[in-house]
Amino acid sequence: MAHVCIHWFRKGLRLHDNPALIAAIRDCKELYPLFILDPYLHDNTRVGINRWRFLISSLQDLDCSLRKLNSRLFVVKGKPEEVLPKLFTKWNVTKLTYEYDTEPYSLSRDKNVTTLAEERGIQVIYKISHTLYDIDRIIEKNNGKPPLTYNRLRDIVKVLGSPKKPIPAPTLEDMKNLASFSEKHKQEYGIPSLEELGLDTSSLAEEIFPGGEQEALRRLNKYMQRTGWVCSFEKPNTSPNSLSPSTTVLSPYVTFGCLSARTFWWRLAEVYQGRKHSDPPVSLHGQLLWREFFYTASVGIPNFNKMQGNTVCTQVDWDENQEYLAAWREARTGFPFIDAIMTQLRQEGWMHHLARHAVACFLTRGDLWISWEEGQKVFEELLLDGDWALNAGNWQWLSASAFFHQFFRVYSPVAFGKKTDKNGDYIKKYLPILKKFPPQYIYEPWKAPRSVQQAAGCIAYARRPSASSESPTKKQGLKRKAPTVVDLMQKKQKKS
Ligand SMILES: Cc1cc2nc3c(=O)[nH]c(=O)nc-3n(C[C@H](O)[C@H](O)[C@H](O)COP(=O)(O)OP(=O)(O)OC[C@H]3O[C@@H](n4cnc5c(N)ncnc54)[C@H](O)[C@@H]3O)c2cc1C
């Protein structure tokens, strides 16, 4: 029987290595590639403007690739459980395909949708292609529990063998028997612009990492051509504060599924072939296994994105301090290294892994003693690569709540950045107000003599006007609008 099929894109915004899409095309006479803007997932408190832009670009790119195959992308808004049944009827759908998604929300959504489809006699097919392996198989091989160490995960995946090889994108030939869409359909179901979505785009900076499969593959090719760099890649030796990224920045593309993790894996394997190369955990293959590690943990551990009810998470009596949290989130802690990283996050939606270490440690066990769940929320909103499993897993690691327990090994907000950037060029890039500060003070501007601060045109710690005659006038220095964490800590010390 020739089917009328919806292929439902959620993550997996690509044509290459998309087994569910290939399953959709098989025995199909009419194909509806669909994306649903779900008010739960695509909500402004979860998705910041940078990630919105990445999503919309990715959808435009997907639509463009589908049009080259005489097809197109259909976009609708609403709760999938409500939207899909209407479309099933409207389009006389007989088959539904999608990529398997392990997030708790997605699992329950997909269960509901599958029931609704099957009640209507619609065939439902899903395929695993967001991760290297079938995560449930890893858990099964570990006696029903997620491996809690990276080495254990490695032992298990060794038994499972190499990840599946990626499959090619569909071709015009594959699509030749499909009906093309009527003019009416061509106009309806378009991709909304950011403005049409009512989003405020005034804070958007230059688009450094445009969304979409074409850009993902271009970026992958570019990095894979640097064979020496790929083979000698050791994550701990990459720099958190280089002026251009010292790692691949493929994470947003992997998160949205513009790039298949298996394609990434096998391209690396080709580069490694016959050459001496680094190994997990520090190699690029090793990075993809970290992803697999946290995905497995997120599937096997209940309440993975929370402290309470999470069986592996140390229960900590974190402080609640809205002032400190806001200062961290808004890049005004007063520690230039921390504020530069948070500025990069706000402007570009990405920062290096070790930079994430520094700010995550600072917020939690290092300095502010604020719950990792608060940091997780901020990252979820602002990161282009915001990923439910990886965000929760890495925050638990960094706060020494799970997987890593040496809570006393803390990153200094001053010394850590100096190791790879003595001059503070990274700080100057993201906090241009400190541009004129001499290198010896740029990590701790409050230690500079007042004359140096004045010459640099920035007073790091403005005393209250009544303090001493040395106090900066409005003209001499920059008056901060809100108190910094350094201010707040000093105030607290004075009180006690
Ligand atoms: C507190 C905290 C929160 C984080 N939240 C996220 C998140 O929401 N989404 C996200 O993708 N990564 C997250 N990471 C992990 C990591 O920082 C990023 O994946 C990495 O920096 C992405 O840059 P890249 O693509 O250049 O990495 P590369 O070093 O080039 O690595 C290649 C790929 O491996 C994967 N990877 C690398 N490091 C990790 C890691 N530690 N854990 C899991 N996968 C990894 C990513 O898919 C990445 O694209 C977080 C890390 C920390 C410390």
Side-chain angles (χ1 to χ4, degrees), residues 26 45 67 70 82 89 113 129 136 204 230 238 324 330-331 338 341 358 370 425 459-460 486-487 494:
R26 204 174 301 130
T45 60
R67 282 175 196 266
N70 294 331
E82 288 164 12
T89 311
V113 166
S129 50
D136 291 326
L204 273 176
V230 168
T238 59
Y324 282 15
E330 290 156 21
I338 300 299
I341 297 169
I370 290 175
D425 292 333
I459 304 300
V486 177
D487 290 335
K494 267 189 211 155

Side-chain angles (χ1 to χ4, degrees), residues 6-305:
I6 289 181
H7 174 70
W8 181 16
F9 284 100
R10 301 95 65 87
K11 294 169 188 162
L13 300 179
R14 63 173 183 269
L15 300 189
H16 75 277
D17 194 29
N18 195 335
L21 176 64
I22 298 294
I25 295 167
R26 204 174 301 130
D27 301 327
C28 184
K29 59 177 181 182
E30 228 174 280
L31 174 69
Y32 292 89
L34 179 72
F35 185 85
I36 304 175
L37 285 164
D38 174 345
Y40 176 78
L41 288 178
H42 307 108
D43 162 57
N44 291 355
T45 60
R46 282 169 194 279
V47 186
I49 188 68
N50 272 319
R51 203 155 82 244
W52 265 115
R53 176 166 68 180
F54 193 93
L55 170 65
I56 296 299
S57 306
S58 301
L59 296 179
Q60 283 163 345
D61 177 72
L62 189 59
D63 184 48
C64 188
S65 301
L66 285 165
R67 282 175 196 266
K68 287 182 190 149
L69 298 177
N70 294 331
S71 181
R72 61 159 293 187
L73 186 66
F74 292 75
V75 178
V76 292
K77 268 194 238 172
K79 215 170 160 307
E81 288 92 327
E82 288 164 12
V83 165
L84 280 165
K86 287 183 196 148
L87 295 177
F88 291 157
T89 311
K90 188 167 180 186
W91 293 336
N92 294 318
V93 172
T94 59
K95 183 161 78 171
L96 171 71
T97 61
Y98 59 81
E99 181 187 62
Y100 188 63
D101 185 334
T102 53
E103 284 182 34
Y105 169 76
S106 313
L107 285 172
S108 87
R109 173 199 63 194
D110 293 349
K111 196 168 158 228
N112 293 342
V113 166
T114 300
T115 309
L116 291 167
E118 287 176 348
E119 277 167 8
R120 289 163 174 76
I122 296 169
Q123 183 188 1
V124 180
I125 300 176
Y126 65 81
K127 299 279 180 186
I128 293 168
S129 50
H130 190 59
T131 44
L132 296 175
Y133 294 92
D134 174 350
I135 299 294
D136 291 326
R137 280 278 291 149
I138 299 179
I139 294 176
E140 203 181 289
K141 278 268 167 211
N142 195 42
N143 304 320
K145 291 189 188 128
L148 293 182
T149 66
Y150 184 81
N151 284 341
R152 181 76 195 137
L153 175 104
R154 276 194 75 194
D155 289 345
I156 291 169
V157 299
K158 265 185 210 149
V159 177
L160 292 176
S162 297
K164 274 191 187 159
K165 287 241 164 114
I167 56 170
T171 60
L172 259 177
E173 176 63 22
D174 297 327
M175 308 278 280
K176 72 172 191 279
N177 294 329
L178 298 184
S180 64
F181 293 105
S182 67
E183 275 310 309
K184 187 168 147 265
H185 266 161
K186 274 189 182 146
Q187 279 145 30
E188 277 178 311
Y189 309 107
I191 302 166
S193 65
L194 295 173
E195 288 74 15
E196 281 163 353
L197 287 163
L199 296 163
D200 175 11
T201 55
S202 59
S203 64
L204 273 176
E206 187 200 343
E207 192 173 22
I208 306 178
F209 310 114
E213 179 181 17
Q214 295 315 309
E215 176 61 18
L217 295 174
R218 190 199 64 77
R219 201 170 176 90
L220 178 71
N221 285 336
K222 180 180 125 184
Y223 277 90
M224 293 308 108
Q225 275 160 16
R226 296 169 62 190
T227 51
W229 181 82
V230 168
C231 290
S232 60
F233 184 95
E234 292 194 351
K235 189 67 166 268
N237 296 336
T238 59
S239 164
N241 47 6
S242 50
L243 293 185
S244 52
S246 62
T247 54
T248 64
V249 196
L250 284 168
S251 51
Y253 303 94
V254 178
T255 292
F256 279 87
C258 302
L259 175 64
S260 139
R262 299 191 296 216
T263 301
F264 193 175
W265 176 274
W266 282 102
R267 283 297 300 279
L268 286 167
E270 274 171 34
V271 177
Y272 292 155
Q273 184 69 41
R275 295 188 173 95
K276 194 169 164 276
H277 61 85
S278 54
D279 284 309
V282 295
S283 63
L284 279 166
H285 260 178
Q287 303 313 300
L288 290 174
L289 289 179
W290 278 115
R291 179 171 181 269
E292 220 63 12
F293 172 76
F294 288 119
Y295 261 85
T296 313
S298 78
V299 170
I301 297 164
N303 301 307
F304 191 63
N305 66 335

